Amino acid sequence: MSNSVRVDIWSDIACPWCFVGKRRFETAAAQFAEGGGSLEVEYHSFELAPDTPVDFEGTEVDFLVGHKRMPAAQVESMLGQMTQLASTEGLSYDFDALQHTNTVKAHELLHYAKSQGRQLDMKERLLSAYFEQGRHVGRIDDLADLAEEIGLDRAEVVEALKSEQFRADVQADKDQAIAYGISGVPFFVINGKYGVSGAQDPSVFVDVLQKAASDS
């Protein structure tokens, strides 16, 4: 199994299942590597709620009550269940501290990070900042701080985000998602041939990766 398998992952920063899916995929990737496989992984932009303001006034419960038209008690229960599920993957979600925001600038930052060979590190930092640390991931200065924390050039990040240098790349990702028929995330495309929707069990990913490696 010497062939490298390419995995393209569509996800959003403001997607709790995407962080869980990332962990489950990483578990599968480690098992795949133990069997001699190698992976090329790239993340792609998907906005679950592109109309969200950068500075949303209210809590995550408030946002979901309005966005999903669900009663507050039901939303609170759902978030509690999500927090518990995330903990089984070693994640410490804090929905009380979470600052809901528009994620387009975060996606631009991920494209900048890709140009620097640091996309996977930046993706991890953004998800942890958003779901676990209550950090703001919608404003340029806050995003630049997070980028600097993983060793990227802060001034370059600010310039890239202010100039919208990578906005067309974000849109291209979104257009490709439409072309693939992707309506929810996370969504994994393996070797441009196989699609896996959702935060599946690691065994599901392992099976698809092995199949892709064997027929490539």
Side-chain angles (χ1 to χ4, degrees), residues 19-186:
F19 205 0
V20 171
K22 184 175 186 291
R23 282 291 181 273
R24 292 178 178 176
F25 174 75
E26 287 165 348
T27 298
Q31 294 176 20
F32 183 68
E34 288 174 3
S38 63
L39 293 176
E40 177 186 356
V41 179
E42 182 176 330
Y43 278 89
H44 298 275
S45 308
F46 191 100
E47 292 181 83
L48 287 168
D51 295 333
T52 304
V54 171
D55 291 300
F56 176 76
E57 296 293 336
T59 65
E60 180 69 352
V61 172
D62 295 331
F63 175 81
L64 290 172
V65 166
H67 187 66
K68 293 186 177 293
R69 300 287 188 263
M70 293 164 56
Q74 187 178 351
V75 170
E76 289 169 359
S77 175
M78 182 180 72
L79 294 180
Q81 291 170 4
M82 189 75 236
T83 300
Q84 187 172 7
L85 184 146
S87 70
T88 66
E89 301 295 336
L91 303 174
S92 301
Y93 283 8
D94 187 348
F95 286 108
D96 291 335
L98 186 150
Q99 299 186 65
H100 206 87
T101 185
N102 188 290
T103 59
V104 68
K105 284 296 179 188
H107 286 299
E108 289 180 36
L109 175 57
L110 285 168
H111 276 282
Y112 169 82
K114 183 178 78 169
S115 76
Q116 305 297 308
R118 299 296 303 280
Q119 191 197 42
L120 299 185
D121 296 325
M122 194 73 253
K123 182 71 172 182
E124 176 70 21
R125 187 70 197 93
L126 285 167
L127 287 167
S128 179
Y130 185 71
F131 282 108
E132 299 183 304
Q133 299 168 352
R135 301 278 292 271
H136 202 294
V137 301
R139 298 184 294 243
I140 290 176
D141 283 346
D142 295 285
L143 289 167
D145 288 343
L146 292 168
E148 188 176 38
E149 288 173 18
I150 69 162
L152 294 174
D153 186 291
R154 192 182 193 284
E156 278 192 14
V157 169
V158 170
E159 175 58 30
L161 296 182
K162 283 186 175 179
S163 69
E164 299 190 347
Q165 178 183 349
F166 294 96
R167 181 64 65 94
D169 296 293
V170 173
Q171 187 60 48
D173 280 350
K174 293 164 68 176
D175 291 343
Q176 183 61 66
I178 292 170
Y180 277 145
I182 298 171
S183 59
V185 286

